[in-house]
Amino acid sequence: MNLAKQINHSVPSETQELSCQFFNFSTHNFSEDGSITLWTYGQNHVSCSCDHLTYFGVLLMVPASPSPKEQENLTYIYLIGCSLSLFTLLITVLLFITNRKVREGVFMKVHINLMIALILLNLHFLPSQAVAAVSSSGLCLYMALALHYSLLATFSWMALEGFNLYLLVVKIFDIYVSRYCSNSVWWDGVS
């Protein structure tokens, strides 16, 4: 018994491949046993020919992983980029901290806190590949929590930075928004 079904789809990129597969409930994995995929690149439809009566679908297969040389190059890129970012963030925070006049404004405190959150993010992201290679569940849990906290802190401070930027634009164009400007407390840090 050979059953065939034609399915329309959008054309994937050249590095991707379509495959007719069914979900095998005994192994809890997708399998292409007994399924034949009839498709060539450039066609906008695929034909699946199966010799069994199970639910099947067309899966888009992506290459498993980059080659070892590509993986090494990507590692160097992320190490150099994160290290450079961490170095410049540390210099910027030190410059802000040493200059008392710059620290006075409320907006500068938001800048400093955003940079500290980015420093924490970089400090925890840099060793993440080495921690993933170690089979310690406690260390892995710590890194996951620290990365999530750092990302949440970064996004929160970035949202506050955006709100402060909005207030600065309102001040520059002399626009009065009664909901945000009911008292002069918001404008004390703007100079």
Side-chain angles (χ1 to χ4, degrees), residues 89-179:
L89 283 166
L90 285 171
I91 288 175
T92 307
V93 167
L94 287 174
L95 289 174
F96 277 144
I97 289 173
T98 57
N99 190 348
R100 183 182 178 131
K101 189 173 184 178
V102 172
R103 282 192 322 233
E104 290 176 1
V106 174
F107 294 126
M108 283 302 154
K109 291 178 183 173
V110 173
H111 288 318
I112 292 171
N113 284 316
L114 174 61
M115 283 184 247
I116 290 171
L118 285 168
I119 288 171
L120 282 174
L121 183 62
N122 278 322
L123 278 175
H124 288 101
F125 187 71
L126 272 170
S128 64
Q129 187 176 13
V131 169
V134 177
S135 62
S136 170
S137 61
L139 191 57
C140 190
L141 178 66
Y142 165 75
M143 285 301 289
L145 291 174
L147 279 171
H148 280 83
Y149 173 78
S150 301
L151 275 171
L152 183 62
T154 301
F155 289 148
S156 299
W157 283 110
M158 205 169 291
L160 192 57
E161 184 78 32
F163 179 71
N164 284 335
L165 184 63
Y166 168 76
L167 290 178
L168 284 173
V169 168
V170 167
K171 173 80 175 181
I172 287 173
F173 292 115
D174 198 24
I175 301 169
Y176 181 74
V177 180
S178 61
R179 183 183 303 167

Side-chain angles (χ1 to χ4, degrees), residues 72-87:
E72 183 181 354
N73 290 341
L74 289 172
T75 302
Y76 287 138
I77 289 170
Y78 108 83
L79 284 174
I80 291 169
C82 284
S83 300
L84 186 63
S85 174
L86 183 62
F87 178 71

